[in-house]
Amino acid sequence: MKIEIKEENVNETEVVISCRRMDEKILRLRDYIANFGSKICAKSESGIEHVSVSEIYYFETVDNRTFLYTEKDVFEVSMRLYELEEILDSRDFFRISRTQIMNINHAARFKPEINRTLTATMENGEKINISRKYSAEIKRILKESSEVL
Amino acid sequence: MNEMKRMLEWFRNVTAFIYAWLTLLLVIQANVSNEASLSAAVLWDLFVFSALTAAGFSVIFTKAIIKKLSFIGRLNCMMIYFVGLEIGFFCKIGLFTTYGSLIEWLIFFGIIAILYALCLVIFGIYSRRKEREYTGLLDQYKIKREKCRDE
């Protein structure tokens, strides 16, 4: 891939991707650039805030409402989990149960439980349960990733 | 082929281990109760019990025959198999020919309780080992993602 950076007197940074054919890789690259340093609009007790994606620990749906958890705070977001899955990078954010999406970059430990689920301990010490179905998927991704390395 | 070899090795080693221990316990019991001799029939029954336990253990805990089953699934299978085997063995040595006494039932459930406790200890060790493995993989994944982002 050829990367060219031009320094010009422009008002807004513009990224142009020139490719022979638009495939999945290109679409992922587009999404990555689009979400680079992106923020999610969330509601807290003090009002509307823009939370950086990299700060998010996990999302959770409770009673049809979606909440966003950071290290110390909880916010409410207007989007549903499936909508969030579409805009977030699938290599950082993993579905871990029917009601939760986790940012793997903030997970500190994974512990297997007797019922074949996993308990993820986050960097802030919070523990979240990864359901049986999704824990198998996460284990597979981690193992495949280590084989590539 | 390697798994088959491993299964047979385990079968041999586990049979030897169980039979040696049970024979030793039988000798101690004979000494305590002032029995002068051990019959060949008892030793043979003991050997069959040891071999069947070892066979179950090596089949359940290797991948030679049961390819895909979780560790907990294997532990459960072993418990179910062993309880059945124990009932059979108790019938063979005449403990379960009648309704049995309270002591006989206590021995039976005592063995199951000890085995269950042992399974929990084994799971604790297994869980800690797997925790280290998954956390190591997680760290590698995070480093890889970090590199991707930097590039």
Side-chain angles (χ1 to χ4, degrees):
Chain A
M1 191 193 296
K2 208 170 86 180
I3 298 171
E4 193 182 344
I5 299 170
K6 285 182 193 167
E7 279 184 299
E8 284 172 325
N9 190 19
V10 287
N11 291 331
E12 198 184 348
T13 307
E14 190 183 39
V15 180
V16 178
I17 304 170
S18 305
C19 59
R20 193 165 291 169
R21 199 183 308 118
M22 183 134 72
D23 57 11
E24 206 189 321
K25 234 173 154 182
I26 299 294
L27 285 171
R28 236 170 55 203
L29 180 65
R30 185 201 63 185
D31 290 348
Y32 183 75
I33 294 167
N35 291 316
F36 181 76
S38 65
K39 293 182 178 217
I40 284 191
C41 186
K43 202 165 70 184
S44 71
E45 283 175 0
S46 56
I48 305 281
E49 283 186 43
H50 288 89
V51 183
S52 171
V53 168
S54 61
E55 284 175 27
I56 299 166
Y57 276 49
Y58 66 97
F59 293 95
E60 185 177 33
T61 296
V62 181
D63 294 333
N64 285 326
R65 292 164 73 191
T66 311
F67 296 94
L68 175 165
Y69 296 79
T70 60
E71 189 184 357
K72 287 174 186 159
D73 302 308
V74 183
F75 302 88
E76 188 176 348
V77 287
S78 57
M79 280 185 275
R80 306 231 170 206
L81 285 187
Y82 72 88
E83 292 171 323
L84 287 164
E85 268 183 314
E86 281 170 13
I87 63 158
L88 297 166
D89 191 329
S90 61
R91 292 164 301 171
D92 292 327
F93 286 85
F94 290 87
R95 180 66 86 118
I96 56 164
S97 70
R98 220 165 42 83
T99 57
Q100 287 171 314
I101 294 173
M102 180 185 74
N103 184 352
I104 203 162
N105 296 309
H106 287 298
R109 281 201 310 274
F110 283 146
K111 185 174 184 279
E113 299 297 338
I114 203 151
N115 56 1
R116 289 170 63 200
T117 61
L118 280 178
T119 299
T121 307
M122 306 304 281
E123 283 167 350
N124 62 354
E126 199 174 339
K127 287 184 165 68
I128 31 181
N129 196 261
I130 303 172
S131 77
R132 203 181 298 184
K133 179 183 167 189
Y134 295 102
S135 64
E137 179 69 8
I138 285 180
K139 281 182 215 169
R140 188 187 60 76
I141 290 166
L142 292 179
K143 278 178 185 163
E144 277 179 10
S145 163
S146 75
E147 281 162 16
V148 173
L149 278 170
Chain B
M1 196 60 203
N2 274 345
E3 275 300 312
M4 190 56 81
K5 198 179 157 192
R6 193 168 165 219
M7 186 183 85
L8 293 171
E9 271 176 13
W10 280 28
F11 173 67
R12 180 197 63 198
N13 297 348
V14 175
T15 306
F17 180 79
I18 299 173
Y19 191 56
W21 269 104
L22 288 180
T23 310
L24 199 67
L25 288 175
L26 211 63
V27 170
I28 293 167
Q29 189 257 333
N31 265 322
V32 169
S33 57
N34 283 327
E35 281 176 39
S37 61
L38 288 172
S39 74
V42 169
L43 287 174
W44 175 249
D45 285 346
L46 214 59
F47 178 75
V48 172
F49 176 71
S50 306
L52 287 174
T53 308
F57 181 84
S58 44
V59 166
I60 291 166
F61 283 103
T62 58
K63 286 175 182 166
I65 293 167
I66 304 168
K67 307 269 184 222
K68 280 185 181 176
L69 190 63
S70 69
F71 182 73
I72 296 303
R74 288 176 197 272
L75 268 185
N76 286 332
C77 281
M78 187 64 206
M79 283 294 287
I80 293 162
Y81 173 76
F82 188 76
V83 169
L85 194 66
E86 197 190 358
I87 292 170
F89 183 66
F90 274 34
C91 287
K92 182 86 175 69
I93 61 173
L95 282 177
F96 280 170
T97 46
T98 60
Y99 286 116
S101 65
L102 180 67
I103 291 172
E104 283 167 3
W105 280 105
L106 283 176
I107 292 169
F108 178 74
F109 285 113
I111 292 169
I112 294 170
I114 289 167
L115 272 174
Y116 198 78
L118 191 70
C119 284
L120 290 178
V121 172
I122 292 169
F123 180 75
I125 297 164
Y126 168 84
S127 174
R128 272 196 293 276
R129 193 166 60 86
K130 282 286 173 189
E131 184 181 355
R132 278 196 296 273
E133 183 190 326
Y134 294 144
T135 306
L137 289 173
L138 171 69
D139 291 341
Q140 279 181 18
Y141 186 84
K142 281 157 74 174
I143 291 166
K144 198 181 155 196
R145 291 290 303 126
E146 197 66 43
K147 273 183 190 167
C148 281
R149 269 192 291 271
D150 290 345
E151 281 164 15

